[in-house]
């Protein structure tokens, strides 16, 4: 933090960020901006350099007044200086479609929440009440929170718990699995609160590239450290290089047929598979014959059998896991367009088929640019929709009844009919009752014509 009376370095940083963004460098504009900035900063005691997320520098600054903190954007106050702590959280995602950062804060009662500030970061800001003992970084507006001494999952849009507070400690959600501690041991549960990795570890890391580090017991020689996969199995790589984190950097599928890492090492050679999808959450979609598709791990062990259909025309969006789920195209007729949502265990997590080749994960949801089936009231599926189904919640907000499906199909069929353009010849033919030949519209309804 820099005292306001000695923060020229920060002022220069703010000026450079501002005028680089508007791409205007007129001296008189800069002078005016600096004078206004000096006036705005007088209300604070100190200010930080621009806050960072990893290597990325933001345009937000932590400001302090007495023992309270707030956030300054370089032009205005985003959050006032009334919090004991305020922290920048990385939400991930693509900034073109959604906000990528969030601020969580601690109020004077030592409770955490998301403050309501200016609508600067997001058109639909998320606000969490200041009732939590602690908050971790969220996944698609699902926040791991500590409430009354226990951890659960809280959905900010609906202001309710998806998983009731029950765990002694917890981390973030990663690859659809949540590291939690219960009765002194760590394990992993999925978003439905089903145990995927048993509670038998003294320490665990979050999942990355399909695997997590775990310590069975600190009393075991070499700390008892093991690698576990999404199925909760202890993994023993045949290739020793896989134990080095550097190996995983830059993994890329070339020409949908072979895999290389950032050093250019060929991991899966050409000619073994007719198709390889992008590496995601430790798995790659693969097809040997170009017809049947399954998923393999980095050492080519089959994790999900070759029982799905290969997309005829591939795109970078296809066959990629997001938050533990992927869309898989069902085998059917030559032009089958049905797909389902499955998890790493090849379990169908949502009961309905989707009328499209695949759902793309964009904007924080599985969606299709058009209709995903008459059964659905919208063209996308949220993670919370999947969770609600698994919990047995009423799905009428999303799923149509059989009668509603029939009505929707009738409406769509009527909309798709091309309107017939009535001509003067048709009118004459109708008036003469077809004496000069049948008109294109078919039999005449005289009442409709007013005769």
């Amino acid at each position: 933090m820099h005292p306001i009376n000695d923060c020229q370095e920060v002022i220069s940083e703010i000026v450079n960020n501002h005028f680089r963004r508007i791409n205007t460098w007129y001296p008189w504009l800069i002078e005016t901006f600096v004078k206004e900035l000096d006036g705005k900063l007088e209300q604070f005691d100190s200010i930080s350099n621009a806050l960072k997320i990893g290597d990325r520098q933001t345009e937000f600054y932590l400001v302090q007044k007495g023992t309270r903190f707030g956030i300054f954007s370089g032009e205005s106050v985003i959050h006032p200086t009334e919090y004991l702590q305020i922290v920048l959280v990385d939400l991930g995602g693509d900034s073109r479609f959604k906000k990528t950062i969030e601020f969580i804060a601690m109020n004077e009662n030592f409770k955490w929440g998301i403050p309501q500030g200016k609508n600067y970061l997001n058109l639909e800001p998320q606000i969490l009440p200041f009732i939590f003992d602690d908050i971790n970084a969220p996944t698609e507006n699902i926040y791991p929170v500590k409430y009354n001494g226990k951890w659960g999952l809280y959905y900010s849009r609906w202001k309710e718990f998806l998983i009731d507070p029950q765990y002694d400690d917890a981390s973030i959600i990663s690859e659809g699995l949540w590291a939690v501690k219960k009765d002194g041991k760590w394990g992993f549960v999925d978003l439905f609160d089903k145990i995927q990795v048993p509670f038998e570890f003294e320490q665990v890391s979050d999942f990355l590239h399909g695997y997590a580090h775990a310590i069975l017991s600190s009393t075991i020689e070499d700390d008892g450290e093991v690698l576990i996969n999404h199925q909760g199995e202890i993994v023993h790589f045949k290739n020793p290089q896989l134990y080095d984190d550097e190996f995983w950097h830059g993994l890329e599928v070339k020409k949908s047929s072979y895999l290389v890492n950032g050093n250019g090492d060929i991991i899966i050679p050409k000619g073994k598979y007719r198709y390889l999808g992008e590496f995601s959450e430790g798995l790659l979609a693969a097809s040997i014959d170009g017809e049947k598709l399954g998923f393999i791990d980095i050492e080519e062990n089959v994790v999900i059998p070759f029982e799905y259909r290969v997309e005829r025309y591939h795109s970078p969006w296809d066959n990629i896991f997001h938050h533990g789920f992927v869309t898989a195209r069902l085998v059917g007729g030559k032009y089958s367009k049905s797909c389902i949502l499955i998890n790493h265990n090849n379990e169908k997590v949502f009961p309905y088929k989707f009328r499209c080749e695949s759902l793309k994960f964009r904007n924080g949801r599985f969606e299709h640019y058009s209709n995903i089936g008459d059964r659905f009231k919208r063209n996308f599926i949220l993670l919370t929709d999947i969770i609600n189904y698994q919990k047995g919640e009423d799905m009428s907000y999303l799923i149509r009844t059989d009668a509603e499906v029939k009505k929707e199909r009738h409406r769509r069929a009527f909309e798709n009919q091309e309107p017939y353009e009535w001509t003067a010849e048709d009118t004459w033919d109708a008036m003469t009752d077809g004496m000069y030949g049948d008109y294109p519209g078919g039999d005449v309804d005289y009442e409709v014509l007013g005769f």
Side-chain angles (χ1 to χ4, degrees):
M1 302 290 289
H2 302 270
I4 291 299
N5 57 11
D6 185 22
C7 65
Q8 190 56 48
E9 175 188 337
V10 178
I11 290 176
S12 298
E13 192 175 73
I14 293 173
V15 170
N16 287 334
N17 285 338
H18 175 77
F19 286 97
R20 186 183 301 112
R21 186 171 68 250
I22 66 175
N23 196 27
T24 301
W25 294 91
Y26 293 115
W28 65 270
L29 275 179
I30 297 175
E31 184 178 346
T32 301
F33 180 81
V34 170
K35 287 181 179 179
E36 292 178 352
L37 182 60
D38 287 338
K40 293 173 182 177
L41 292 180
E42 286 178 356
Q43 61 184 302
F44 310 120
D45 295 334
S46 56
I47 185 170
S48 73
N49 289 99
L51 300 175
K52 291 185 176 182
I53 296 179
D55 296 331
R56 180 164 64 92
Q57 180 175 297
T58 71
E59 296 180 5
F60 301 102
Y61 302 81
L62 188 66
V63 288
Q64 185 177 6
K65 179 71 173 178
T67 60
R68 299 296 192 264
F69 295 90
I71 296 295
F72 186 70
S73 73
E75 299 175 29
S76 61
V77 175
I78 300 299
H79 297 298
T81 50
E82 60 184 41
Y83 301 103
L84 296 177
Q85 293 186 52
I86 190 162
V87 178
L88 182 65
V89 176
D90 185 5
L91 299 182
D94 190 330
S95 60
R96 294 172 299 172
F97 301 121
K98 54 180 289 189
K99 65 175 182 178
T100 60
I101 59 177
E102 184 67 275
F103 294 101
I104 61 173
M106 177 191 285
N107 69 5
E108 60 185 8
N109 297 318
F110 301 97
K111 294 297 183 181
W112 288 89
I114 296 181
Q116 182 173 6
K118 291 187 177 180
N119 196 8
Y120 185 88
L121 300 177
N122 189 8
L123 295 176
E124 193 175 3
Q126 302 304 307
I127 303 169
L128 261 63
F130 282 83
I131 59 175
F132 303 110
D133 304 325
D134 203 353
I135 301 176
N136 287 340
T139 295
E140 307 301 338
N141 300 316
I142 300 173
Y143 289 77
V145 296
K146 189 177 184 181
Y147 182 70
N148 289 339
K150 297 291 185 179
W151 285 86
L153 291 184
Y154 188 84
Y155 188 45
S156 63
R157 288 177 181 269
W158 294 347
K159 305 295 186 291
E160 66 179 39
F161 284 99
L162 299 178
I163 294 180
D164 291 332
Q166 58 189 286
Y167 297 108
D168 302 327
D169 203 352
S171 183
I172 63 171
I173 301 167
S174 181
E175 300 184 0
L177 295 180
W178 187 31
V180 289
K181 188 177 184 180
K182 190 173 185 178
D183 298 328
K185 295 291 185 180
W186 286 88
F188 289 85
V189 297
D190 60 20
L191 295 175
F192 318 133
D193 202 24
K194 295 179 181 178
I195 298 174
Q196 297 296 334
V197 178
F199 293 92
E200 58 185 24
F201 302 99
E202 292 206 359
Q203 295 181 42
V204 295
S205 71
D206 299 316
F207 269 86
L208 180 65
H209 304 311
Y211 304 97
H213 294 270
I215 294 178
L216 279 166
S217 173
S218 58
T219 61
I220 298 177
E221 190 176 352
D222 297 329
D223 293 328
E225 184 173 322
V226 296
L227 276 177
I228 51 178
N229 60 18
H230 276 250
Q231 290 71 40
E233 303 165 336
I234 295 177
V235 177
H236 300 283
F237 289 129
K238 300 171 187 175
N239 182 355
Q241 287 182 292
L242 291 172
Y243 290 100
D244 183 359
D245 289 340
E246 293 294 324
F247 175 89
W248 300 89
H249 294 169
L251 284 173
E252 184 180 1
V253 173
K254 298 286 190 180
K255 299 181 180 179
S256 298
S257 63
Y258 67 101
L259 178 69
V260 300
N261 66 8
N263 298 324
D265 303 322
I266 295 179
I267 313 304
I268 297 179
K270 300 178 183 179
K272 295 192 71 172
Y273 299 94
R274 291 280 298 275
Y275 165 73
L276 282 180
E278 294 300 317
F279 185 80
S280 62
E281 298 186 5
L283 299 180
L284 304 96
S287 176
I288 297 173
D289 59 5
E291 298 290 333
K292 297 289 185 68
L293 178 141
F295 288 84
I296 61 175
D297 64 18
I298 196 70
E299 291 198 310
E300 300 180 67
N301 300 303
V302 177
V303 178
I304 295 178
F306 296 95
E307 59 186 26
Y308 297 102
R309 186 175 178 84
V310 175
E311 190 79 34
R312 187 175 182 183
Y313 300 105
H314 310 299
S315 78
W317 299 95
D318 294 329
N319 307 314
I320 296 177
F321 273 90
H322 296 279
H323 306 306
F325 307 118
V326 69
T327 57
R329 187 177 181 183
L330 297 175
V331 172
K334 184 177 181 180
Y335 300 105
S336 172
K337 293 186 177 181
S338 294
C339 64
I340 58 174
L341 275 170
I342 61 174
N343 63 12
H344 281 255
N345 299 325
N346 196 27
E347 296 167 337
K348 188 178 178 182
V349 296
F350 206 64
Y352 304 100
K353 298 177 183 178
F354 305 94
R355 192 181 65 193
C356 57
E357 289 82 353
S358 61
L359 298 180
K360 320 302 183 185
F361 191 83
R362 291 178 292 213
N363 306 323
R365 59 202 189 188
F366 292 94
E367 67 176 4
H368 196 261
Y369 66 89
S370 61
N371 183 267
I372 64 174
D374 297 330
R375 184 64 64 181
F376 302 93
K377 294 181 179 180
R378 45 176 158 80
N379 67 340
F380 60 87
I381 302 296
L382 298 169
L383 288 184
T384 46
D385 296 329
I386 305 171
I387 294 170
N388 281 345
Y389 169 75
Q390 292 286 337
K391 292 170 63 177
E393 300 283 348
D394 178 17
M395 302 298 293
S396 60
Y397 69 90
L398 175 66
I399 305 299
R400 292 189 175 99
T401 63
D402 290 342
E404 290 172 330
V405 170
K406 185 177 180 180
K407 184 177 180 180
E408 174 65 16
R409 288 174 178 169
H410 178 76
R411 182 193 66 80
R412 186 171 289 113
F414 181 78
E415 282 185 351
N416 291 338
Q417 284 184 341
E418 292 187 6
Y420 181 76
E421 295 184 6
W422 193 269
T423 66
E425 183 182 354
D426 295 334
T427 303
W428 172 254
D429 195 40
M431 293 175 65
T432 57
D433 198 16
M435 290 172 52
Y436 300 98
D438 292 333
Y439 73 99
D443 294 333
V444 179
D445 187 338
Y446 289 102
E447 291 183 3
V448 172
L449 294 173
F451 295 111

